[in-house]
């Protein structure tokens, strides 16, 4: 895909092939057009074969060759993560809570009957890759390098519906602008389709969860919505999450989020927002949240704010929630009065090393000597 000249060396028990033809001048960091368009110069790969992890390496970003028999194509054994690296004013680099992503990808892997990734492979691969590509991390407030670790089944033996023997773990990254997905979102409470079901894989970042959400989301977009707000699959009376975001509601002076359970991804941003809100003394509740509470709150004017949060968007507030064909508008608060934006700023300040880190979330990425 990309022509490279290569420089070889070994570090942290991994082979490193560095490109001599960086593509970094192709990107305007002051105007990163859209998310996921440009990928940094290198990628990390490690293989699981014959029951052991081997061949860890960093190499120039490019296409990979795997057999069409690979079980990822047929039975969907694939899990992934999303995380970010930030720069501070002195261009020091910080990963945000990377060990949480490490733990979560392995939780997902176990549920999909895939091998877990050793911490040394995940963390050394991540640290070395981001160090090599540190120039790809944008410098402005809110900008970041979005990092995508993923694990796929690559068995090329027998095409049968069983777990793969062989797997490939990779990490790639893409510069991300400070962006609102949109200034504010118009959301539809979904009552027909479901994202996850009891006993299923909703709590994991299994790729199939996203594939199955595309069609209902497309239908909602055709109706003029930005996203669907998922509800539980059996009764459609409990709020779950929205797109790639966990959700919060500022209802009757309480900040409420549906309790993460087997149907809801336990979001690292959500968890961080909860901690920040509690620290501010906000009355926070993680619990089952009924659709009827939201609709009553909208009708009675006691639902003041609603927002989604996740690694990609950080925080994005909702302006309209639609239920059974009726659109309910949320109060049009000035930005300064929004709890969502205050919590977002508190989080970004920690991520960019602009404020204290009372929870120990920042992970300083030292420069390697090579
Ligand atoms: C379905 C889903 N819910 C919630 C989130 C938010 O999780 P996090 O804050 O860890 O990015 C994501 C994004 O990863 C997601 O894909």
């Amino acid at each position: 895909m990309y022509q490279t000249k290569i420089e070889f060396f070994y570090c942290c028990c991994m082979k490193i092939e560095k490109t001599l033809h960086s593509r970094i001048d192709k990107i305007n960091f002051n105007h990163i057009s859209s998310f996921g368009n440009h990928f940094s110069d290198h990628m990390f790969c490690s293989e699981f074969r014959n029951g052991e992890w081997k061949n860890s390496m960093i190499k120039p970003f490019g296409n990979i060759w795997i057999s069409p028999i690979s079980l990822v194509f047929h039975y969907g054994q694939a899990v992934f993560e999303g995380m970010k690296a930030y720069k501070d004013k002195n261009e020091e680099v910080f990963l945000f809570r990377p060990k949480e992503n490490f733990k979560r990808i392995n939780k997902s892997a176990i549920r999909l009957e895939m091998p877990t990734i050793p911490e040394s492979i995940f963390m050394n691969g991540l640290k070395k890759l981001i160090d090599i590509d540190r120039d790809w991390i944008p410098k402005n407030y809110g900008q970041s390098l979005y990092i995508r670790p993923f694990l796929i089944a690559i068995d090329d033996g027998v095409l049968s519906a069983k777990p793969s023997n062989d797997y490939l773990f990779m990490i790639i990254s893409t510069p991300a602008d400070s962006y609102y997905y949109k200034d504010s979102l118009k959301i539809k409470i979904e009552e027909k389709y479901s994202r996850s079901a009891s006993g299923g894989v909703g709590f994991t970042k299994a790729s199939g969860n996203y594939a199955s959400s595309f069609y209902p989301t497309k239908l909602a977009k055709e109706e003029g919505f930005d996203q669907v707000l998922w509800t539980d699959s059996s009764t459609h009376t409990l709020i779950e999450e929205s797109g790639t975001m966990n959700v919060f509601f500022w209802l009757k002076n309480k900040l409420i989020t549906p309790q993460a359970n087997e149907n809801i991804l336990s979001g690292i941003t959500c968890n961080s927002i909860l901690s920040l809100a509690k620290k501010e003394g906000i009355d926070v509740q993680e619990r089952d949240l009924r659709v009827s509470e939201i609709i009553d709150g909208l009708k009675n004017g006691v639902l003041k704010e609603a927002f989604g949060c996740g690694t990609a968007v950080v925080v994005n507030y909702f302006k309209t929630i639609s239920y059974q064909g009726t659109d309910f508008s949320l109060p049009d608060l000035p930005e300064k009065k929004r709890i969502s934006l205050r919590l977002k700023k508190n989080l970004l300040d920690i991520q960019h090393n602009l404020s204290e880190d009372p929870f120990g979330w920042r992970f300083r990425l030292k420069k390697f000597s090579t």
Side-chain angles (χ1 to χ4, degrees), residues 286-304:
E286 284 175 272
R287 62 167 174 84
D288 285 352
L289 181 59
R290 292 189 306 281
V291 172
S292 58
E293 290 178 78
I294 299 303
I295 302 307
D296 289 348
L298 286 162
K299 285 182 180 161
N300 303 332
V302 288
L303 177 62
K304 301 286 189 205

Side-chain angles (χ1 to χ4, degrees), residues 80-83 101 104 146 195 202 204-205 209-210 230 241-247 264-271 309-312 314:
F80 70 98
E81 269 306 321
M83 56 201 297
N101 297 92
R104 196 170 63 184
Y146 180 87
R195 193 191 81 89
T204 71
K205 275 185 84 76
N209 284 344
Y210 298 81
W230 300 108
E241 51 187 317
S242 180
T244 56
M245 301 177 289
N246 294 107
V247 288
I264 298 177
L265 188 83
S266 178
I268 296 159
T269 318
C270 174
N271 177 282
C309 68
T311 296
V314 187

Side-chain angles (χ1 to χ4, degrees), residues 1 5 15 39 54 72 80 82-83 90 102 122 125-126 147 187 235 249 253 273 278 280-281 289 310 341 349 353:
M1 189 179 180
K5 271 197 191 159
K15 187 173 158 193
F39 285 85
K54 52 176 84 160
V72 63
F80 70 98
M83 56 201 297
N90 302 320
F102 161 69
F122 185 96
L126 176 68
I147 305 165
I187 302 286
T235 66
F249 298 86
N253 294 326
I273 294 279
K278 281 182 202 159
E280 272 196 28
L289 181 59
L341 297 186
D349 283 355
N353 193 24

